[in-house]
Amino acid sequence: MQILVIEDEAKMAALIKRVLTAERHVVDVAPDGLTGAALAQRGPYDVIVLDRMLPDVDGVTLLRLLRGKGLVTPVLMLTALGTVGDRVGGLDAGADDYLPKPFAFAELIARIRALGRRSAVAPVHRLQAGDLSIDELRHVAQVGDRTVDLSAREFALLGYLIRHVGQVLTRQQILDAVWGAEPDVYSNVVDLYVHYLRRKLAELGRADRLRTVRGVGYMLRAEA
């Protein structure tokens, strides 16, 4: 699954990401509400894990804002505020589940798995950046009426680049997001799959959208 974690405590966010990537999920982390809101709306994600107490905006307020903008992604709210009133407030704001801190990671994984099954009932099937999109049902990249088939890894890589369109991503960031905790994987595999993906994009006339930033990593341009 594609999971967004909105959590300002760096150690907690890193631990959640490590646990979820070990379960072979693709995880993005936002350190504050504004960054999280931008990523959530760019989506699509299967599940959002949202901390209630953020430095810039309260998680409940943020969730109401996202729901008001039409976000339907299942949201698991995390908080140190565990009273009945706090839980009711989070659920009334649009949370699908509520997990008080501290929690067992086995329970976190199980709750995310349950929410993922719920989101699969009505999934968002298309992710787009400019005229370039990917279709989750057919596993293809598309520009206009032209399509090209993608392998599972190419699909995951392009999806990650589209969700971060216009951002320079390091090889390590890409490796962590697309390959997660897989053993015996090295950063040069990123270069190899970028090469494969660029060949596929060339068939759509969009190879120049995938830019190499020398000494740093790669970036998908919003437009050619």
Side-chain angles (χ1 to χ4, degrees), residues 104-175:
F105 280 99
E107 183 177 4
L108 174 69
I109 292 167
R111 287 175 181 263
I112 287 175
R113 189 183 304 120
L115 291 178
R117 290 194 295 268
R118 187 181 307 177
S119 69
V121 174
V124 177
H125 297 304
R126 186 170 293 274
L127 187 61
Q128 190 155 354
D131 62 355
L132 174 64
S133 65
I134 57 174
D135 188 313
E136 291 187 328
L137 291 179
R138 297 184 293 159
H139 251 235
V140 299
Q142 183 170 0
V143 173
D145 59 356
R146 290 181 294 172
T147 64
V148 61
D149 293 332
L150 300 174
S151 70
R153 196 71 70 179
E154 291 166 349
F155 184 85
L157 173 58
L158 183 54
Y160 183 67
L161 291 167
I162 288 178
R163 288 196 306 278
H164 297 274
V165 64
Q167 300 178 33
V168 178
L169 301 169
T170 67
R171 289 171 176 82
Q172 191 60 50
Q173 285 176 306
I174 296 172
L175 193 68

Side-chain angles (χ1 to χ4, degrees), residues 24-220:
R24 299 190 180 277
H25 299 302
V26 176
V27 182
D28 291 331
V29 173
D32 55 66
L34 294 178
T35 303
L39 287 173
Q41 292 175 87
R42 186 179 297 163
Y45 291 97
D46 298 293
V47 174
I48 295 173
V49 178
L50 172 63
D51 185 34
R52 177 161 181 163
M53 301 182 72
L54 296 168
D56 53 350
V57 59
D58 180 79
V60 169
T61 301
L62 176 62
L63 183 53
R64 285 199 180 104
L65 174 66
L66 291 172
R67 292 300 190 214
K69 291 179 177 293
L71 183 83
V72 297
T73 306
V75 172
L76 171 61
M77 184 167 281
L78 303 178
T79 183
L81 304 175
T83 69
V84 172
D86 294 321
R87 292 197 296 272
V88 170
L91 294 170
D92 283 347
D96 298 270
D97 200 357
Y98 203 98
L99 187 59
K101 297 179 179 178
F103 51 82
F105 280 99
E107 183 177 4
L108 174 69
I109 292 167
R111 287 175 181 263
I112 287 175
R113 189 183 304 120
L115 291 178
R117 290 194 295 268
R118 187 181 307 177
S119 69
V121 174
V124 177
H125 297 304
R126 186 170 293 274
L127 187 61
Q128 190 155 354
D131 62 355
L132 174 64
S133 65
I134 57 174
D135 188 313
E136 291 187 328
L137 291 179
R138 297 184 293 159
H139 251 235
V140 299
Q142 183 170 0
V143 173
D145 59 356
R146 290 181 294 172
T147 64
V148 61
D149 293 332
L150 300 174
S151 70
R153 196 71 70 179
E154 291 166 349
F155 184 85
L157 173 58
L158 183 54
Y160 183 67
L161 291 167
I162 288 178
R163 288 196 306 278
H164 297 274
V165 64
Q167 300 178 33
V168 178
L169 301 169
T170 67
R171 289 171 176 82
Q172 191 60 50
Q173 285 176 306
I174 296 172
L175 193 68
D176 290 343
V178 178
W179 279 266
E182 293 184 27
D184 303 323
V185 176
Y186 300 95
S187 61
N188 60 357
V189 76
V190 175
D191 301 327
L192 179 63
Y193 272 87
V194 165
H195 172 69
Y196 293 156
L197 183 56
R198 199 172 263 139
R199 287 195 307 184
K200 296 291 182 70
L201 293 178
E203 296 181 39
L204 301 174
R206 295 296 184 273
D208 56 350
R209 293 281 296 278
L210 183 45
R211 176 188 168 199
T212 300
V213 180
R214 191 174 299 278
V216 182
Y218 298 98
M219 179 183 73
L220 184 70

